[in-house]
Amino acid sequence: MAWDIDLPLIYSGKVRDIFDAGDGRLLMVTSDRLSAFDVVMSRPVPNKGRVLTAMSAFWFEQLADVVPSHLISTDVADVPAINDADAAGRIMLCHKAEMLPIECIVRGYITGSAWKEYRRSGTMHGTVMPEGMLESQQLPEPVFTPSTKADEGHDMNISFAEAVNLVGTEMATKARDVSLELYTQGAELAADRGIIIADTKFELGVIGGELAVADEVLTPDSSRFWPADQWIPGTTPPSFDKQPVRDFLDTLDWDKQPPPPQLPDDVVQASQDRYEAAYNTITGRNFGDWPGVS
């Protein structure tokens, strides 16, 4: 989708488009595009971009005592160059940050790629784990498990020592400590509302010489949310994200390469419902009150 915005477009990703807003600022616009298996689907999920923006804004506010964020405003009135009514509720006017070349992943439970590695070698990001662990089991304490940022293909899991090689000891240590605290505080708030945050990914960068959190924070796209009352170690709990899309695609004879198959209405609706439920449950707010939602 093309936006009617009178600013230079500098990046168009799978979900977000980024414009140069001048004066050391960026305008991030989050679309309803959905990717699965690294392929952007042909049908968007309505209001998905607004959920991601609304939830990130909530968390930037809640976690401001841990680390500053890049966010300046989510109000389209603060960006006169926007001429597109559909941008309402999707934008973040941000300070430009010098981003770290690592993904700052925190795991509170063993699942996803960490579980696959454990089954294969008994390790998680190269660290030997106790024998007999179950899928989705809670870890004794949250663990910082960084990865590379791949321009193409999949990110690669790396050890903390390898992160040090990329960003230096001081920055790697600071990134680890900040990421663990962001996760811990976020997970505690979510737990009070019946949601387990199994794992998450933070994007950290430097603004004015100070470490800051950027991009999106604790959203269904960057995190794994499970309903606490459906969590059973040894199983894969349902998640508040695009799982209905992944489940549908897994039933097809599709090689996970473009072009993507067409998503049926019920799968798109199920994903939309899960995204909105995640926002309402975690924030305690009504998504219908967010700008642009009708």
Side-chain angles (χ1 to χ4, degrees):
M1 116 184 295
W3 306 103
D4 186 1
I5 296 175
D6 295 330
L7 293 172
L9 176 67
I10 58 177
Y11 175 78
S12 185
K14 292 175 184 172
V15 175
R16 288 172 180 78
D17 299 305
I18 303 177
F19 297 81
D20 187 345
D23 299 323
R25 302 172 304 162
L26 298 174
L27 179 70
M28 298 177 63
V29 187
T30 307
S31 74
D32 292 335
R33 296 191 294 268
L34 182 145
S35 70
F37 305 107
D38 288 327
V39 177
V40 176
M41 297 293 103
S42 55
R43 286 188 65 181
V45 173
N47 279 328
K48 172 179 174 281
R50 292 189 172 98
V51 169
L52 300 183
T53 304
M55 187 165 281
S56 292
F58 169 80
W59 285 117
F60 285 140
E61 174 188 323
Q62 294 292 317
L63 301 172
D65 64 320
V66 178
V67 67
S69 79
H70 70 161
L71 182 62
I72 299 171
S73 174
T74 59
D75 189 345
V76 292
D78 291 330
V79 190
I82 296 176
N83 308 305
D84 196 325
D86 194 41
R90 303 179 180 279
I91 69 114
M92 289 196 294
L93 182 65
C94 309
H95 295 291
K96 190 179 294 185
E98 183 181 347
M99 302 303 294
L100 301 187
I102 56 173
E103 301 279 11
C104 295
I105 299 167
V106 178
R107 302 181 188 277
Y109 297 72
I110 188 164
T111 187
S113 64
W115 171 246
K116 290 178 183 177
E117 178 187 336
Y118 175 77
R119 289 183 63 192
R120 184 174 63 248
S121 60
T123 61
M124 185 174 74
H125 282 239
T127 299
V128 176
M129 301 296 288
E131 293 183 6
M133 295 190 73
L134 300 175
E135 181 181 8
S136 308
Q137 181 175 331
Q138 186 173 16
L139 299 168
E141 59 183 14
V143 180
F144 178 67
T145 57
S147 74
T148 61
K149 288 184 178 180
D151 292 330
E152 294 183 4
H154 297 283
D155 298 335
M156 298 294 294
N157 292 345
I158 58 176
S159 66
F160 181 73
E162 290 170 308
V164 167
N165 289 337
L166 289 171
V167 301
T169 301
E170 182 180 356
M171 184 58 74
T173 301
K174 190 177 294 185
R176 178 191 63 194
D177 294 349
V178 162
S179 298
L180 288 169
E181 186 61 25
L182 288 170
Y183 172 82
T184 298
Q185 289 198 21
E188 287 175 355
L189 184 149
D192 288 342
R193 290 159 191 195
I195 300 293
I196 289 171
I197 302 180
D199 54 29
T200 193
K201 175 183 70 176
F202 298 110
E203 297 272 8
L204 300 180
V206 177
I207 302 173
E210 187 173 6
L211 194 63
V213 62
D215 197 31
E216 61 182 316
V217 176
L218 296 172
T219 71
D221 270 16
S222 67
S223 316
R224 221 179 299 256
F225 296 143
W226 295 334
D229 60 359
Q230 297 182 57
W231 169 61
I232 303 172
T235 68
T236 305
S239 55
F240 286 90
D241 60 5
K242 54 192 171 190
Q243 193 61 48
V245 172
R246 288 191 292 259
D247 290 345
F248 167 73
L249 295 174
D250 278 337
T251 68
L252 305 178
D253 182 19
W254 177 50
D255 63 2
K256 310 298 191 292
Q257 298 295 319
Q262 184 76 1
L263 299 178
D265 292 345
D266 62 326
V267 170
V268 172
Q269 186 64 55
S271 290
Q272 180 180 355
D273 292 345
R274 288 199 187 194
Y275 275 93
E276 294 182 10
Y279 174 81
N280 291 336
T281 303
I282 286 179
T283 68
R285 300 172 182 176
N286 181 359
F287 180 62
D289 296 332
W290 185 253
V293 181
S294 56

